[in-house]
Amino acid sequence: MSSRLPPHGKQFADARAKGMTPRPKGLGHLVVLLDWREPCAAMPYIVIPPGSDMDLINLSFVAGLHITVSHTDEQSSRVLAVVDALLAAGAARVDAANRDALARGESLDAAWPTFEKEVLRHAA
């Protein structure tokens, strides 16, 4: 089966193929949104829509990047699969920021966990 780029991923894949890297901003190099309706203020982003098969999405352009997955409580069940796919594609670091938990004032450790490439959660 062939894999395809996620929505808004082509511009990043093309730039990475030319040796370019997005400039890191406050949330890293790139934000991953889990729904089309999500806000993303002035940050480079891609969308992994609901129902996406992570095995069919080409995320190779995230290699070496710091990625933030921005999500809500409702989307939490999808987050770990997305984190694993990003780390498997070579992301150096993935943060999973739960905006609802942050709004409730939960601790940063609970609301904004960080995953590093070296500690891939599900080793093959």
Side-chain angles (χ1 to χ4, degrees):
M1 294 194 161
S2 65
S3 62
R4 59 184 225 197
L5 294 167
H8 302 289
K10 184 176 181 347
Q11 63 184 331
F12 299 107
D14 290 350
R16 297 303 307 270
K18 294 175 185 172
M20 299 169 67
T21 301
R23 186 176 58 152
K25 294 187 178 179
L27 298 174
H29 293 97
L30 181 67
V31 173
V32 173
L33 303 175
L34 301 182
D35 197 321
W36 289 101
R37 302 170 300 184
E38 301 300 319
C40 190
M43 280 292 300
Y45 71 94
I46 61 170
V47 179
I48 308 284
S52 297
D53 182 342
M54 295 309 300
D55 292 331
L56 300 179
I57 297 178
N58 177 352
L59 295 170
S60 60
F61 60 91
V62 304
L65 300 183
H66 172 186
I67 310 296
T68 297
V69 178
S70 177
H71 68 97
T72 63
D73 287 342
E74 182 180 327
Q75 299 163 337
S76 290
S77 64
R78 299 179 49 217
V79 170
L80 292 180
V82 172
V83 168
D84 283 346
L86 291 163
L87 290 172
R93 172 179 163 172
V94 180
D95 294 355
N98 182 329
R99 295 187 315 275
D100 292 335
L102 290 168
R104 286 190 299 271
E106 292 185 23
S107 73
L108 278 181
D109 288 339
W112 196 305
T114 297
F115 303 89
E116 306 265 346
K117 183 178 177 182
E118 294 77 31
V119 290
L120 184 62
R121 289 179 348 89
H122 299 291

